[in-house]
Amino acid sequence: MIHQFFQRPALVFSLCGLTILTCLEVPAFMSLFCLIFWAWKWLADLKIVQPLSRRWTTILSFVLLALILAQYRSLFIQEASSSLLVGLTALKVMDYQNRRDHLLLILLGFLLLTLKPLYGLDLFLLPVQLVCMFSLWMALSQDTKKLPRTVLLKVIGSSLPIALLLFLVFPRVVLPWAISKNQRSSRMGFSTDLNPGQVADLASSTGIVLRAVFPPDSDVNPQELYWKGAVLTSSNGLAWKDPKLMPLHERPVPPAEGQVVFYEIIQEPGNGNVVFALDSTYSLRSIGAQLVPHEASVWRVNGAVNSSRRYHGISSYSYINRLKPLASDLKTAPLPPLSEEWVKKTIAGNKDLLARRRALRQLFSHPDFVYTLNPGPYEKSAMDEFLFQRRRGFCEHFAGAYATLARALGIPARVVSGYQGAEYNRLGGFWKVTQKQAHAWVEIWTGDQWQRQDPTTWILRTEFSRYPKKSFFDWIDDTYNTYEALNYRWTTFLLDFDRNSQSQVLREWLPRIFLILTLGVLAFFLLKLLRGWTHLRGGKIKTVRHHQLSQLVRQIRESEEEYLNQDLSHIPPLQILSLAKKHIRDGDEFLNRVAALYDKTFYQGESEELGMKAELQVLQKKWLDIQVMHK
């Protein structure tokens, strides 16, 4: 029997919801792929177009697998596995015809459902996932027709305590074959290379990168929060690359004096092994992860970060990075003509490096420079066009040009990419860093230390308020901050509940849990015994009453057979009682009461012991009276 997919509302609702959730994590072409086949199937069910044959969907399945393997080189990456599952689901929707297809789609739905929580801890996606799970069970029950809705609710309800118990006692382990994020680039777009326009594209997103918490007595200035992700030392004009920094053999030395700031961050997954720490951080640790300090004060974690992870850092504004520059920190590609001319004039007029740094700042403080997310593309002589003609750019333009000119002037320099600033959530008590805070700045060698230089701040010349003025639309921000605060608490709760928390809960609650379980088991068996005894006693009593009622109806049948002189054993009891009304004088009320009691007892299954006993006694006495009267 051929079924139409869109006539199964529970299956359609669950798969549609899970497909939308999964498409948020996959490339745009996969979302378009799914949309095409869902729309095609809808039109095919309406008989507007012809459906795609199974032969073609099978071929497309292998083509899809080959394309995903060619792009990701593995299926054990979130984007790869999500793309494959959601693509196969769309192709199977096109194939939907029979019960086998129905069950296979339900299986794919459960796989999509379990894939999402492996990477995200979003509290507000949980209700959507639960609704989709319930819809999948409803689709399964509609197929088998053996699972009533009430039974389904009981099964789900009884499974919740088991799920809670597993959460409390199941060991926290990291499987070596667990699927990981794509390590080549961030899901959110962060890259360890820098090209004009790259950071601007990243800053157009509002995705969360990390949440940071500082001690209550800390005086946090968001303009001084520079979250270092990568240090780029290979220069090519405005473009810079990361040359694979080497790990340090010794950990950074804490400063001898100065204010120390302890902070905590929860970083979202999707940035490979990059950890965003304050540029003044000299100590960083994380439970369950090995953090390695690298050259230029950047931190990396061994292995990709495939879930939200907590880090504890210690920073100090008096911390100084005195690691001496290398010869490569002065290398630069040949400069275009105007830039080369400016460098020669500056060197000729400024013999010491401090004076050349002043000349650099004076150049970037020109009033014609404009800070914009959309400066437009630059051609081959990008440096000259940016510095001396158009003067329009984003932070990567200013940082890349500044560092390149600094090297040309004999000043060791490098570009740093990461995030700058944060937004404070009063309800949650944390600072939120999003993609729109993506930033690039410069570090230069001053002779005895590396010092941060941010030429973008010379262009903006604007002081940003930490707490903006109130407006009519503040309720929207308050609502979103409430959502962020709840989601943050949920995330920290799940991250904090590690093996130590499990052990503590078990130590404190194990005796109570054992007592409750013991009492529960005893109560269960007592109820079973009581119910069994009641059922046995009630069953015996009911059996006697049923026998008495059946005997009364049989006597009426025998009376009719004697009167009509024919066999009536093939006629149902209620029909016998209706037939007897024609021959028993003044017996209509009696026969109606017998029929009602018989129907209630044998067909409706309703029989109260006391009521049935009294009614039977009355009817038996009445039958004796009728028999005497007819004799």
Side-chain angles (χ1 to χ4, degrees):
M1 180 179 179
I2 297 178
H3 302 287
Q4 287 191 342
F5 175 72
F6 286 95
Q7 291 181 351
R8 302 291 182 123
L11 184 63
V12 172
F13 176 81
S14 57
L15 289 181
C16 185
L18 292 171
T19 298
I20 292 173
L21 289 179
T22 308
C23 283
L24 298 175
E25 309 288 340
V26 300
F29 78 89
M30 279 307 308
S31 301
L32 181 61
F33 179 89
C34 295
L35 179 62
I36 290 173
F37 280 95
W38 276 75
W40 194 341
K41 181 61 177 178
W42 179 61
L43 294 175
D45 280 358
L46 294 177
K47 309 298 183 183
I48 297 176
V49 298
Q50 289 294 325
L52 200 62
S53 67
R54 288 183 182 269
R55 178 182 177 183
W56 279 107
T57 55
T58 303
I59 294 174
L60 286 174
S61 298
F62 285 105
V63 171
L64 178 65
L65 176 62
L67 289 175
I68 291 175
L69 285 175
Q71 180 172 354
Y72 298 100
R73 307 294 181 185
S74 172
L75 293 178
F76 296 98
I77 296 174
Q78 184 198 7
E79 284 189 6
S81 56
S82 299
S83 298
L84 181 62
L85 277 177
V86 78
L88 292 178
T89 301
L91 290 173
K92 199 61 198 175
V93 166
M94 174 60 70
D95 274 348
Y96 187 87
Q97 290 183 358
N98 51 42
R99 183 173 180 269
R100 179 178 175 274
D101 297 331
H102 184 86
L103 295 177
L104 186 55
L105 273 177
I106 291 175
L107 174 61
L108 287 171
F110 278 115
L111 290 176
L112 288 173
L113 183 67
T114 55
L115 188 66
K116 181 68 179 177
L118 290 177
Y119 308 102
L121 303 176
D122 198 318
L123 173 63
F124 293 90
L125 286 181
L126 185 60
V128 179
Q129 293 165 343
L130 290 176
V131 170
C132 290
M133 181 187 70
F134 181 78
S135 298
L136 285 174
W137 279 106
M138 287 299 299
L140 185 61
S141 68
Q142 290 172 0
D143 175 75
T144 59
K145 298 181 181 180
K146 296 179 181 179
L147 196 60
R149 190 170 304 179
T150 55
V151 176
L152 177 61
L153 290 173
K154 290 180 180 179
V155 170
I156 294 177
S158 61
S159 65
L160 291 178
I162 299 176
L164 179 61
L165 182 63
L166 290 175
F167 175 77
L168 292 175
V169 303
F170 197 80
R172 297 299 192 264
V173 294
V174 177
L175 300 176
W177 44 265
I179 297 175
S180 62
K181 289 274 185 179
N182 185 3
Q183 299 184 32
R184 292 181 297 164
S185 63
S186 161
R187 173 176 61 88
M188 298 181 292
F190 182 83
S191 174
T192 54
D193 293 337
L194 186 69
N195 293 293
Q198 184 173 306
V199 178
D201 293 338
L202 190 61
S204 62
S205 171
T206 58
I208 296 178
V209 180
L210 60 89
R211 299 176 180 90
V213 177
F214 295 89
D217 56 347
S218 299
D219 184 16
V220 180
N221 180 3
Q223 299 305 310
E224 291 298 323
L225 298 178
Y226 283 80
W227 308 93
K228 182 184 289 188
V231 173
L232 317 176
T233 60
S234 179
S235 170
N236 186 20
L238 295 180
W240 286 70
K241 293 184 178 180
D242 179 5
K244 303 298 181 183
L245 298 173
M246 298 300 294
L248 294 177
H249 298 292
E250 298 180 0
R251 300 189 72 83
V253 179
E257 57 183 14
Q259 182 182 4
V260 175
V261 178
F262 296 87
Y263 68 95
E264 172 187 289
I265 63 173
I266 295 179
Q267 183 172 312
E268 295 300 313
N271 295 287
N273 64 343
V274 176
V275 180
F276 298 102
L278 291 175
D279 61 353
S280 55
T281 297
Y282 61 84
S283 176
L284 195 68
R285 61 184 179 85
S286 175
I287 299 175
Q290 184 180 359
L291 289 164
V292 181
H294 284 60
E295 297 172 336
S297 299
V298 296
W299 296 81
R300 297 290 182 264
V301 62
N302 285 344
V305 179
N306 51 27
S307 62
S308 300
R309 181 168 289 176
R310 183 195 302 271
Y311 302 96
H312 300 273
I314 306 176
S315 67
S316 173
Y317 294 119
S318 60
Y319 172 67
I320 298 174
N321 183 358
R322 300 187 185 276
L323 190 64
K324 292 183 179 182
L326 305 175
S328 58
D329 291 325
L330 283 171
K331 289 184 179 180
T332 183
L335 297 177
L338 295 178
S339 300
E340 181 70 26
E341 182 182 354
W342 181 89
V343 168
K344 289 180 179 180
K345 288 182 179 180
T346 303
I347 292 176
N350 302 275
K351 299 303 180 182
D352 62 281
L353 297 181
L354 183 58
R356 295 176 188 177
R357 286 167 52 191
R358 293 196 193 100
L360 262 176
R361 176 155 187 165
Q362 184 178 1
L363 172 65
F364 281 88
S365 299
H366 195 286
D368 289 345
F369 275 113
V370 176
Y371 179 84
T372 174
L373 281 170
N374 301 298
Y378 284 97
E379 303 301 332
K380 292 183 178 180
S381 299
M383 282 276 292
D384 284 354
E385 189 178 357
F386 168 67
L387 288 171
F388 303 106
Q389 296 172 12
R390 291 170 54 189
R391 292 190 171 99
R392 297 172 61 86
F394 195 56
C395 60
E396 67 261 46
H397 296 85
F398 296 103
Y402 182 96
T404 298
L405 291 180
R407 286 188 173 188
L409 293 173
I411 305 171
R414 58 201 186 192
V415 174
V416 183
S417 62
Y419 299 88
Q420 188 268 328
E423 300 174 14
Y424 187 66
N425 187 310
R426 298 184 187 89
L427 297 175
F430 61 87
W431 294 84
K432 178 182 66 175
V433 179
T434 62
Q435 293 294 354
K436 66 182 180 180
Q437 268 110 21
H439 194 50
W441 61 96
V442 180
E443 288 182 347
I444 62 172
W445 179 255
T446 62
D448 61 346
Q449 62 177 299
W450 288 96
Q451 187 180 89
R452 182 208 310 148
Q453 296 288 326
D454 191 353
T456 305
T457 60
W458 308 334
I459 310 303
L460 290 175
R461 307 179 189 89
T462 305
E463 292 295 331
F464 294 99
S465 174
R466 179 174 172 182
Y467 301 113
K469 295 180 179 180
K470 289 288 184 180
S471 68
F472 174 76
F473 297 100
D474 278 352
W475 65 271
I476 299 178
D477 292 334
D478 292 340
T479 302
Y480 186 74
N481 285 337
T482 302
Y483 156 75
E484 284 292 336
L486 291 174
N487 207 29
Y488 172 74
R489 298 300 180 192
W490 170 253
T491 302
T492 54
F493 166 73
L494 293 179
L495 291 177
D496 284 341
F497 199 81
D498 52 11
R499 295 181 184 178
N500 294 331
S501 301
Q502 283 182 316
S503 301
Q504 183 178 356
V505 168
L506 291 177
R507 283 195 302 268
E508 294 179 359
W509 286 90
L510 190 59
R512 304 177 191 179
I513 293 174
F514 180 76
L515 178 61
I516 292 173
L517 288 177
T518 303
L519 294 176
V521 171
L522 290 176
F524 174 78
F525 281 109
L526 287 175
L527 287 175
K528 278 288 187 181
L529 290 173
L530 181 61
R531 185 177 179 183
W533 178 79
T534 305
H535 180 74
L536 181 62
R537 180 177 179 274
K540 290 181 177 179
I541 296 173
K542 287 181 180 179
T543 301
V544 173
R545 305 303 176 208
H546 291 179
H547 177 73
Q548 292 174 348
L549 181 57
S550 299
Q551 188 176 18
L552 176 61
V553 173
R554 186 171 63 253
Q555 291 174 359
I556 296 174
R557 179 196 298 273
E558 292 173 352
S559 174
E560 284 298 295
E561 288 177 342
E562 183 180 354
Y563 180 83
L564 297 174
N565 194 23
Q566 61 180 346
D567 181 23
L568 301 178
S569 59
H570 62 283
I571 300 178
L574 293 180
Q575 192 173 345
I576 288 290
L577 296 174
S578 178
L579 182 65
K581 293 180 183 179
K582 300 179 181 179
H583 311 112
I584 299 178
R585 296 192 309 271
D586 301 327
D588 288 1
E589 180 185 357
F590 162 74
L591 293 171
N592 287 335
R593 289 172 67 180
V594 174
L597 184 61
Y598 193 92
D599 178 68
K600 186 177 181 181
T601 302
F602 288 97
Y603 294 110
Q604 299 183 25
E606 300 177 5
S607 56
E608 297 181 3
E609 167 59 21
L610 295 177
M612 184 180 182
K613 180 180 179 181
E615 181 73 359
L616 264 176
Q617 289 177 346
V618 172
L619 293 176
Q620 286 173 337
K621 185 175 182 300
K622 182 67 176 176
W623 175 242
L624 291 175
D625 294 341
I626 290 174
Q627 286 180 314
V628 170
M629 184 175 59
H630 279 74
K631 288 181 179 179

